[in-house]
Amino acid sequence: MVRKGLWLLVAVLCPSIAQADERSQEAQLGVVKSYLEARTATMQVGAASADVDRLLSFCTASMVYEHPRVGIRLQGVESLRSGMQGFFGASRNASITITSTLQGLDVVAARTDVALEARREATWEPVKRSQVWLFEFEGSKIKRIIEYW
C-alpha cells in the first residue's frame, strides 16, 4: 500500500518537475540572449561603463570568466568590469548572432557568429569568426562563462 502511494506521488510530481525544468531552461536561454546583446553593446566604439554594468547584471557577484585560447581566467564581476573597460574603443560595428544552442541542467552552450571591426593602430580591420560560449548558471544568474574561439 505504501509502495503504491509512493508511485502515485512520483507520477503526479514528475510532470511538474519536468515542466519546471523546461521553464528554467527557457529562462536561462533568455538570459544568454540578453547577455550576448549586452556584450555586443560593450564592443561598440561608444561603449561606456553603463553597458558593462548591464552585462554584469546577468552574472553572480563571484562569476568566473575563462578564455582558454588566450589564457585568461577572471573571477568576480569587478575583475571582469576592469577587463572589459580596458577594451573600450577597441572595436566597432560589432554583432553576435546565435546560430545554435544546446542546453542541459543549468548550462547553455551557444554557437555564435561574431563580426566586428577591430582597431589596429590607425585603421579598422574586419574580423569574423565562429565561436562557442559555455554558460553555467546558479538559478537565474550566470556563474561561469567559458569562451572558445
Side-chain angles (χ1 to χ4, degrees):
M1 186 66 157
V2 171
R3 205 178 288 185
K4 197 181 233 182
L6 181 60
W7 282 112
L8 181 60
L9 181 62
V10 168
V12 169
L13 290 179
C14 282
S16 299
I17 292 169
Q19 287 175 345
D21 284 346
E22 286 176 25
R23 283 192 299 272
S24 176
Q25 286 184 343
E26 278 182 39
Q28 289 173 346
L29 182 56
V31 170
V32 166
K33 288 176 180 178
S34 295
Y35 175 90
L36 292 174
E37 287 172 9
R39 180 70 179 106
T40 301
T42 69
M43 298 165 67
Q44 305 304 335
V45 77
S49 295
D51 297 309
V52 175
D53 291 343
R54 180 171 180 265
L55 176 135
L56 294 176
S57 72
F58 300 108
C59 302
T60 63
S62 62
M63 72 90 57
V64 174
Y65 170 84
E66 296 179 66
H67 195 310
R69 182 175 179 184
V70 294
I72 293 175
R73 185 177 193 280
L74 301 172
Q75 186 159 2
V77 293
E78 293 309 317
S79 293
L80 192 56
R81 182 186 319 279
S82 307
M84 295 185 98
Q85 289 175 338
F87 284 95
F88 282 166
S91 59
R92 68 180 185 185
N93 299 325
S95 66
I96 300 174
T97 305
I98 297 174
T99 58
S100 62
T101 61
L102 179 63
Q103 292 181 257
L105 182 61
D106 292 331
V107 66
V108 176
R111 183 177 183 278
T112 62
D113 288 335
V114 177
L116 57 98
E117 293 177 31
R119 185 185 303 263
R120 302 278 189 250
E121 309 220 358
T123 64
W124 292 96
E125 288 183 18
V127 175
K128 290 185 179 184
R129 65 177 176 254
S130 291
Q131 67 184 74
V132 174
W133 310 68
L134 184 67
F135 297 88
E136 294 178 12
F137 281 83
E138 185 174 290
S140 63
K141 297 274 190 172
I142 299 166
K143 72 175 184 179
R144 183 176 180 206
I145 300 170
I146 306 174
E147 190 175 338
Y148 297 96
W149 54 268

